[in-house]
Amino acid sequence: MSAEPLSPTDAAAAGQQPGAPAPAGQVSLPTTKVARAARFAKTGLKVGANYVKHYARRAAGAEVSADELHAANAAELYGALSELKGSVLKVAQMLAMEKQLLPPAYAQQFAQAQYQTPPLSGPLVVKAFRDAFGRSPAELFGTFEPTARQAASIGQVHYATKDGRALAVKVQYPGVASSIQSDLRLVRPVALRVLGLDEAQVRPYLAEVETRLLEETDYALELQRGQEIAARCAHLPHLQFARYYPELSAPRILTMDWLPGQHLREFLTTSPSQAVRNQLGQALWDFYMYQLHELRQVHADPHPGNFLLRADEGGTVGVLDFGCVKEIPAEVHRLFTALLAPETLADEARLRALLLEADVLRLTDPAARQQLYLRTLRDSLTLVGRPFRQPRFDFGDPQYLAALYALGDELLQDPELRRQREPRGSAHFIYLNRTYVGLYALLTELRAEVQTGAI
């Protein structure tokens, strides 16, 4: 897909002079199955060439490190994902939150997807508005910045104004929704081969991921959920939600208030006080506990790019992006909370029964495997569930952080666990676990001390 020539009006809307080259930004996006498959293949060839060079240099006696190989391949892979955008870039974003799973070079590259990826150029943005409204953004808004302020996996965000209101206008990349299923089919064989998994065993988990990714491309659903969750959480202190504008929204365009604040990385450079850190952390904790226990659905994309932090009023959190919301069935909520309960850790029979119910343990498992999973889950729940068992918890405690990292390393290196390749547990836990990994990551970076009791 390439950018179309612009009329003088559209050229102005895109921020360029008629007849001038397109402004900086991605001017085309592979949208067909063939084009996207070809881009995957090209990346595979370059990664293979990097391996050949690496081993050739090592065979010749040169001192080469695996870190150099990882850095070259991570840069190549991230470049391809940034160009393709959509589901494959979203998966990279998810992996960046799982720092223990990736070599540092990959984690560093993929972390960029949490904040900024290369945006689409002005002509493609104007075309999206022409397709949706029959008008350019200049005709819809008082002002519209043609260069995106943020660009991520599914879409990019532009700053606009109308009737004195500052607005955030999210524009979905073309072809994202239609490419999700074909993209996942392309990467599935590689992922299964690398991880040593059987497709039949992982099918329910892949279906859960595919469902959530497809929902993220449904801007009408996001608008509805954003309005509903904001209304039901309006009483929670120190949170701010955007107002949505249905009349300025379409299937691939979503308009809402522009919220003030800074993303976490930028905010921390201002050296906020511990009191501000604590209030921000408390707001995040209360928001997620209320969603879990009262709404029975959670904002399941808690990476740093989806929150805007401010120090005013003692600390305020602006919540962005309700594209990924996980609804929690009653039985899943009961299991999830029971596994975190203090009495569960003290009663092996209770823990075993819950793990059997959650399909983590199976009656057909040999006794040694059952003991392995019991020991592993008890150790994990003891550490990860610690904040739920204390009335106040310091997420900045360096000893706790060290213990979390040590546990992750221990589990990854355990030879018995490495041999157990079969996935276990409810598919519903994928996004619940992801939510709390993301929440813990935010709170530990904030070094916040929060009241963790029921709100």
Side-chain angles (χ1 to χ4, degrees):
M1 173 179 180
S2 59
E4 296 180 356
L6 297 184
S7 68
T9 301
D10 286 353
Q16 67 182 90
Q17 295 298 316
Q26 189 171 334
V27 298
S28 65
L29 184 68
T31 57
T32 68
K33 295 179 183 179
V34 173
R36 294 177 75 81
R39 187 63 181 90
F40 273 117
K42 179 181 175 183
T43 299
L45 289 173
K46 288 192 174 183
V47 168
N50 287 339
Y51 273 102
V52 171
K53 291 177 185 176
H54 174 78
Y55 288 115
R57 289 176 62 198
R58 194 167 73 176
E63 289 190 11
V64 292
S65 70
D67 291 341
E68 293 176 353
L69 176 63
H70 287 320
N73 283 341
E76 177 60 40
L77 184 56
Y78 181 72
L81 299 182
S82 298
E83 182 180 332
L84 291 165
K85 305 190 187 300
S87 57
V88 289
L89 187 57
K90 192 71 179 181
V91 170
Q93 187 185 81
M94 293 167 66
L95 287 172
M97 295 168 63
E98 303 280 358
K99 294 180 176 62
Q100 297 290 337
L101 295 180
L102 297 170
Y106 287 90
Q108 291 165 11
Q109 284 283 344
F110 290 179
Q112 297 179 64
Q114 296 179 338
Y115 295 96
Q116 187 75 20
T117 62
L120 294 181
S121 65
L124 287 183
V125 174
V126 171
K127 185 178 186 303
F129 277 88
R130 287 284 184 197
D131 291 345
F133 300 102
R135 290 185 285 173
S136 72
E139 296 171 283
L140 285 170
F141 302 97
T143 64
F144 182 88
E145 289 188 0
T147 302
R149 292 278 186 101
Q150 289 97 33
S153 53
I154 302 296
Q156 61 189 40
V157 179
H158 294 258
Y159 179 83
T161 62
K162 187 177 179 67
D163 300 329
R165 298 190 300 267
L167 303 173
V169 185
K170 187 157 69 168
V171 181
Q172 188 175 127
Y173 302 130
V176 165
S178 60
S179 69
I180 285 176
Q181 292 173 316
S182 59
D183 280 357
L184 292 179
R185 279 195 292 269
L186 282 170
V187 301
R188 184 181 302 162
V190 177
L192 293 176
R193 186 164 60 250
V194 169
L195 297 174
L197 298 174
D198 178 78
E199 183 169 1
Q201 295 172 340
V202 300
R203 192 171 293 130
Y205 307 97
L206 294 174
E208 170 74 358
V209 172
E210 184 175 302
T211 298
R212 299 283 82 76
L213 289 172
L214 286 169
E215 285 184 354
E216 288 196 62
T217 67
D218 186 346
Y219 279 5
L221 179 62
E222 179 177 347
L223 187 150
Q224 174 191 328
R225 283 172 164 172
Q227 290 177 318
E228 291 176 351
I229 294 175
R232 297 183 69 183
C233 294
H235 67 287
L236 296 173
H238 313 300
L239 292 172
Q240 185 178 16
F241 301 95
R243 174 186 171 186
Y244 289 85
Y245 297 90
E247 70 277 11
L248 295 171
S249 299
R252 279 184 48 213
I253 295 172
L254 190 59
T255 301
M256 68 205 82
D257 287 331
W258 184 275
L259 296 184
Q262 297 172 299
H263 293 305
L264 179 60
R265 184 186 298 171
E266 184 183 9
F267 179 77
L268 291 177
T269 65
T270 67
S271 302
S273 68
Q274 188 61 51
V276 167
R277 291 171 182 266
N278 290 349
Q279 183 161 296
L280 293 169
Q282 191 69 58
L284 285 165
W285 181 269
D286 292 349
F287 176 50
Y288 275 96
M289 292 307 106
Y290 187 79
Q291 290 177 93
L292 175 68
H293 297 303
E294 301 299 328
L295 304 188
R296 300 292 174 87
Q297 58 180 3
V298 291
H299 175 294
D301 198 7
H303 71 78
N306 280 341
F307 300 95
L308 292 170
L309 310 180
R310 308 198 316 271
D312 55 308
E313 301 181 18
T316 303
V317 179
V319 185
L320 308 174
D321 198 341
F322 287 92
C324 184
V325 172
K326 174 60 185 172
E327 297 185 1
I328 309 167
E331 284 304 297
V332 174
H333 175 268
R334 181 185 60 79
L335 266 176
F336 189 77
T337 53
L339 285 168
L340 292 171
E343 58 267 25
T344 297
L345 296 175
D347 185 342
E348 183 171 302
R350 174 182 169 83
L351 177 60
R352 183 189 297 272
L354 288 170
L355 292 177
L356 281 167
E357 190 177 351
D359 196 39
V360 175
L361 291 182
R362 294 170 185 167
L363 293 175
T364 55
D365 287 333
R369 184 177 299 172
Q370 288 208 18
Q371 286 304 312
L372 171 66
Y373 283 134
L374 272 172
R375 171 178 58 81
T376 301
L377 267 297
R378 185 187 300 109
D379 291 347
S380 299
L381 291 169
T382 297
L383 184 60
V384 175
R386 191 182 298 172
F388 293 87
R389 299 190 299 273
Q390 298 180 196
R392 190 171 183 86
F393 192 80
D394 182 4
F395 282 92
D397 180 358
Q399 293 184 337
Y400 183 66
L401 297 182
L404 283 175
Y405 285 122
L407 176 64
D409 289 338
E410 180 183 336
L411 295 180
L412 284 173
Q413 299 303 320
D414 189 312
E416 292 181 77
L417 285 176
R418 289 169 70 90
R419 285 193 290 270
Q420 305 303 320
R421 290 291 189 176
E422 184 181 5
R424 298 291 183 100
S426 168
H428 290 289
F429 279 19
I430 293 175
Y431 280 86
L432 270 176
N433 291 341
R434 179 197 180 198
T435 295
Y436 282 90
V437 166
L439 176 62
Y440 274 37
L442 290 167
L443 295 174
T444 54
E445 284 200 60
L446 275 170
R447 302 199 304 276
E449 186 176 347
V450 300
Q451 297 281 354
T452 55
I455 60 172

